[in-house]
Amino acid sequence: MYNNPLPPNTPDSEQQLYQRALALAGYTMKELAEAAGLPIPENLKRDKGWVGMLLEHYLGACAGSKAEQDFPHLGVELKTIPVNAQGKPLETTFVCVAPLIGNIGITWENSYLRKKLRRVLWVPVEGERNKPLAQRRVGTALLWSPDNHEEQQLRRDWEELMDLIVLGKVESITARHGEILQIRPKAANSRALTEAIGEFGQPITTLPRGFYLKKEFTATLLSKHFKI
DNA sequence: TCATGATCATAT
DNA sequence: ATATGATCATGA
């Protein structure tokens, strides 16, 4: 197998990527889909990742890549985020799967979640369900890295949640754990199972989980940047 | 009304 | 089943 080749149109610097993202502001999904020659679904019920894939296309992300970020050569992760008319997030943000086994030697410093969030290109897109997908517009993109405070919040939550996983308490974790990070199911359906550690240290089978950023956190980071 | 738990599509 | 991309939809 070949390694993931970079797309021919991938940006070769962070600034170029950012400028390209800024240039999308104001366009509707219909305009972008038509210009790209892509069919646009009526809604996202059966195409939940459609907006993300469309933006990946425009920004030259490595589609289908198994690399650690969308732009591995730049170390940047792309996140589209659905927002309301006031720019507030309508959904939590999926970051990555929570590892339920094989966590010996895993620390915050070398964690996959930290790596994913080191540098994020946030692209807000109107996402209110009463607005037809075709009419939804792209907002102003934001390049972000966690500041010291944000990093400490992330670290505390990650360590608390990972402790529970390692101690066999994964099935007692709810979305209410964590200040800014939460763990929720991330699966095709409730019958998809994966291996984890049970309350007596024995192997169990449970729903795959993912780390998500809570809405209040992403709302704050977006507003911080756009405030005056 | 809204967050939690559940789910959808596709590629490998 | 796991990874990518996330949003849906129902109970509180």
Side-chain angles (χ1 to χ4, degrees):
Chain A
M1 282 297 267
Y2 292 102
N3 249 327
N4 309 301
L6 295 175
N9 61 349
T10 202
D12 45 41
S13 75
E14 191 184 82
Q15 266 312 302
Q16 190 177 67
L17 170 61
Y18 184 48
Q19 293 305 322
R20 201 181 283 193
L22 288 178
L24 296 176
Y27 285 104
T28 64
M29 295 301 102
K30 179 179 185 179
E31 290 167 337
L32 294 180
E34 282 182 355
L38 298 173
I40 182 167
E42 194 60 35
N43 57 59
L44 298 179
K45 288 184 185 180
R46 294 191 169 261
D47 297 88
K48 297 183 181 183
W50 187 85
V51 174
M53 303 300 278
L54 180 69
L55 272 291
E56 279 191 350
H57 171 84
Y58 270 92
L59 297 174
C62 307
S65 169
K66 292 195 76 178
E68 303 242 307
Q69 289 115 344
D70 295 293
F71 302 91
H73 57 303
L74 303 178
V76 175
E77 172 74 12
L78 171 66
K79 286 293 175 195
T80 59
I81 183 166
V83 296
N84 66 14
Q86 287 72 244
K88 281 198 63 177
L90 293 165
E91 295 287 347
T92 56
T93 302
F94 172 72
V95 181
C96 60
V97 168
L100 303 185
I101 55 170
N103 284 313
I104 291 179
I106 304 297
T107 64
W108 166 248
E109 293 298 326
N110 63 27
S111 68
Y112 188 45
L113 182 134
R114 179 166 178 266
K115 178 163 189 174
K116 277 246 176 184
L117 295 181
R118 273 184 86 76
R119 196 77 172 147
V120 179
L121 177 65
W122 295 97
V123 183
V125 176
E126 290 180 321
E128 282 170 316
R129 293 186 202 181
N130 60 20
K131 171 167 283 198
L133 176 60
Q135 295 173 20
R136 299 182 191 174
R137 292 180 184 278
V138 179
T140 303
L142 162 61
L143 261 174
W144 169 83
S145 292
D147 64 24
N148 288 339
H149 177 63
E150 291 164 337
E151 167 122 8
Q152 288 320 306
Q153 288 179 302
L154 289 167
R155 175 208 275 271
R156 281 198 302 270
D157 284 351
W158 183 90
E159 289 178 343
E160 174 196 337
L161 292 163
M162 289 302 294
D163 277 348
L164 292 171
I165 288 172
V166 167
L167 293 174
K169 298 177 180 170
V170 62
E171 297 197 306
S172 73
I173 298 176
T174 75
R176 278 143 287 211
H177 284 88
E179 178 186 355
I180 65 173
L181 204 58
Q182 65 184 181
I183 280 183
R184 309 209 309 276
K186 166 62 173 173
N189 55 57
S190 59
R191 287 132 256 146
L193 299 175
T194 193
E195 189 181 337
I197 301 168
E199 59 175 325
F200 306 114
Q202 83 284 21
I204 63 170
T205 186
T206 192
L207 222 47
R209 315 297 166 100
F211 284 113
Y212 297 79
L213 295 173
K214 295 186 178 184
K215 287 198 290 186
E216 295 72 16
F217 178 71
T218 49
T220 301
L221 85 83
L222 290 178
S223 70
K224 265 184 191 168
H225 197 79
F226 294 120
K227 194 168 268 183
I228 307 189

